[in-house]
Amino acid sequence: VKVISMGFFVPENTPVVWRGPIVDGVLPQFFRDLVWGELDYLLIDLPPGTGDVPLTLSQLVPLTGAITVTTPQEVALSDVRKGMTMFKKVNVPLLGVVENMSYFVCPDCDKQYDIFGHGGGAKVAEQYDLPLLGEIPIDPAIRQGGDTGQPAARVTGSAAQEAFGSLAGKVAELAVEIP
């Protein structure tokens, strides 16, 4: 897995406070100046909303499509709808929706808790006639993986492993279907 991040260009604990001309200058470098080599997929994790980064990116390179990530609660869905509408306006196909922090399964009693509500991702997917590609649980393996650099998708037996595996399969299927 090859990775580049805006965070690599600023000192630790310093926010990336870039707008307009700076973003317009840096984003092209990610595509022009980096040697990516042969890629099966190039996934770009964008900040939420309709700001400079997603707009500049959509104008800079041809995008196969956008996968929207949301959490279940209505306040998140409001922002997601705006982002999806922006992508439609700039002719970037919407491919599907992923619901993050979808639920938590108690490790002691195996009961599922919908901490942030339930079904928001499915609701917005249905509104836009898109597939719900996955529901990612709240899983301590995700936090631990982020802290240690060990992807949660590789933690055998974790809820995250199953959810990410299923999501990756659906995204791969989408990529094959897209002309």
Side-chain angles (χ1 to χ4, degrees), residues 14-170:
T14 302
V16 177
V17 190
W18 296 349
R19 294 206 43 107
I22 295 174
V23 171
D24 288 347
V26 172
L27 278 179
Q29 290 180 326
F30 285 175
F31 299 99
R32 181 185 64 230
D33 298 344
L34 295 172
V35 179
W36 290 102
E38 185 73 24
L39 297 174
D40 294 322
Y41 306 97
L42 177 62
L43 301 174
I44 303 168
D45 183 14
L46 298 175
T50 57
D52 290 337
V53 175
L55 184 58
T56 298
L57 182 66
S58 68
Q59 296 169 338
L60 181 65
V61 294
L63 301 174
T64 301
I67 295 172
T68 300
V69 179
T70 187
T71 53
Q73 67 269 41
E74 189 57 42
V75 70
L77 298 177
S78 175
D79 285 342
V80 161
R81 288 183 193 100
K82 291 173 188 172
M84 292 171 82
T85 300
M86 182 215 64
F87 278 121
K88 286 179 93 172
K89 284 185 176 187
V90 296
N91 298 313
V92 173
L94 299 173
L95 302 178
V97 176
V98 176
E99 185 177 272
N100 195 19
M101 297 190 281
S102 189
Y103 57 88
F104 172 74
V105 176
C106 174
D108 296 327
C109 68
D110 217 28
K111 182 175 177 186
Q112 180 172 312
Y113 293 92
D114 298 322
I115 296 170
F116 295 106
H118 182 76
K123 178 179 174 182
V124 78
E126 184 177 329
Q127 288 173 335
Y128 284 81
D129 194 29
L130 297 169
L132 178 65
L133 299 173
E135 295 176 319
I136 307 300
I138 297 172
D139 184 340
I142 296 171
R143 194 263 321 145
Q144 292 163 351
D147 288 349
T148 64
Q150 172 72 10
R154 301 186 86 193
V155 177
T156 303
S158 72
Q161 182 184 43
E162 183 176 328
F164 284 128
S166 174
L167 172 60
K170 290 177 182 176

